[in-house]
Amino acid sequence: MTTNAVSFAGVEKTYKRPRLLGAVYHTAVQDLSFDIPAGEITGLLGLNGAGKTTIMKLLTGLLFPNAGTVQVFGLPPSGQAAKAKVGFLPELPYFPPQLKPGSALAYYGRLSGLSGKELSLAAEEALQRTGLEPHADKRISEFSKGMLQRLGLAQALLHKPDLLVLDEPVSGLDPLAIHDIRKLLAGLNAEGRTIFLSSHSISEVEKLCGRVLIMVRGRLAKTVTRAEWEAAPGGLEAIFVEAVK
């Protein structure tokens, strides 16, 4: 029996924006149901405003659905047991600029329950795996956008989670860095980790993922497997363009 790392069942999320006279409501995702089997790399595609970031925040317990259920390895994502299994890279990671990367990782590692020698080794490994080891003595204020992205990924990897949730993981990276991150993610998946990532780069999703979810205006428009897009004229890009028209 296949274990699902992620399950969404009939999920709806509506935002309320107060106005001077009443309020405006915006439904970001509606009637959303999908599963991500453990051990897969699954991609999430959609135009701006399609609901991708909302899905990521629901999955990590940063938001709560108005209807339906979200589960992470069968657990509610807001609980500590689920959070211990998840590493999250937001689209725009932020770290205190006065810190060095090791200090920033130590802070997040303690939040994840790491301490002592275990924390030191985990931070060292995360810096090494993300290519930041040569920059360990720099302050974060000196980091480029790409280096901040790598540090965000190092933070997500720190406690060796079973599920990585990555919102635009190659944003701001140059082609060589993108190649390095792609290789890193493939290696993490080979170790058994489940990866759920969103991206505006269809070519990167094609190279990494075994399955892709396409969102259109808050709804799941299509689920596509690698075999399907490899057999389709124009590949995943053609399928995506047709789905979002």
Side-chain angles (χ1 to χ4, degrees):
M1 181 179 177
T2 302
T3 301
N4 287 323
V6 175
S7 294
F8 276 58
V11 172
E12 179 179 307
K13 178 60 185 176
T14 299
Y15 295 101
K16 178 182 178 182
R17 295 189 173 92
R19 292 282 181 90
L20 184 60
L21 299 174
V24 173
Y25 294 87
H26 168 66
T27 299
V29 296
Q30 50 190 317
D31 193 26
L32 183 59
S33 298
F34 66 87
D35 296 319
I36 298 177
E40 275 197 3
I41 303 181
T42 299
L44 184 62
L45 291 176
L47 301 177
N48 289 336
K52 302 187 301 297
T53 296
T54 295
I55 290 170
M56 297 286 185
K57 289 182 176 180
L58 287 165
L59 177 53
T60 52
L62 296 173
L63 292 176
F64 297 91
N66 298 99
T69 59
V70 180
Q71 291 188 324
V72 176
F73 295 103
L75 301 166
S78 58
Q80 191 57 43
K83 287 183 182 295
K85 295 177 176 290
V86 178
F88 178 47
L89 170 66
E91 183 177 3
L92 298 171
Y94 172 81
F95 300 94
Q98 73 277 12
L99 296 183
K100 293 181 180 181
S103 298
L105 291 181
Y107 170 76
Y108 284 100
R110 286 190 290 271
L111 289 180
S112 299
L114 301 176
S115 61
K117 187 67 172 177
E118 182 185 23
L119 175 56
S120 298
L121 290 174
E124 184 179 326
E125 181 181 353
L127 290 173
Q128 188 272 326
R129 295 195 79 166
T130 55
L132 284 175
E133 201 171 30
H135 308 286
D137 289 329
K138 292 182 180 179
R139 296 193 183 278
I140 293 171
S141 59
E142 302 174 61
F143 276 23
S144 66
K145 172 67 166 67
M147 290 165 68
L148 285 173
Q149 200 73 6
R150 287 174 183 259
L151 184 56
L153 188 54
Q155 173 273 137
L157 298 175
L158 195 59
H159 59 293
K160 295 182 172 57
D162 297 317
L163 169 66
L164 285 167
V165 180
L166 311 175
D167 197 355
E168 298 287 346
V170 296
S171 175
L173 300 184
D174 60 42
L176 182 58
I178 290 172
H179 175 270
D180 291 343
I181 296 302
R182 188 192 312 135
K183 184 177 178 181
L184 170 61
L185 295 181
L188 290 165
N189 180 242
E191 293 170 7
R193 290 179 176 82
T194 307
I195 300 173
F196 185 40
L197 63 93
S198 73
S199 180
H200 286 296
S201 174
I202 294 175
S203 64
E204 285 307 311
V205 170
E206 271 188 313
K207 289 168 185 170
L208 270 171
C209 299
R211 198 159 53 103
V212 169
L213 312 176
I214 299 175
M215 295 293 297
V216 177
R217 292 185 292 276
R219 293 182 180 271
L220 179 59
K222 198 172 186 66
T223 301
V224 194
T225 64
R226 172 174 289 277
E228 289 173 321
W229 74 67
E230 286 182 344
L236 181 58
E237 182 177 14
I239 294 172
F240 175 77
V241 170
E242 185 63 30
V244 302
K245 278 183 178 178

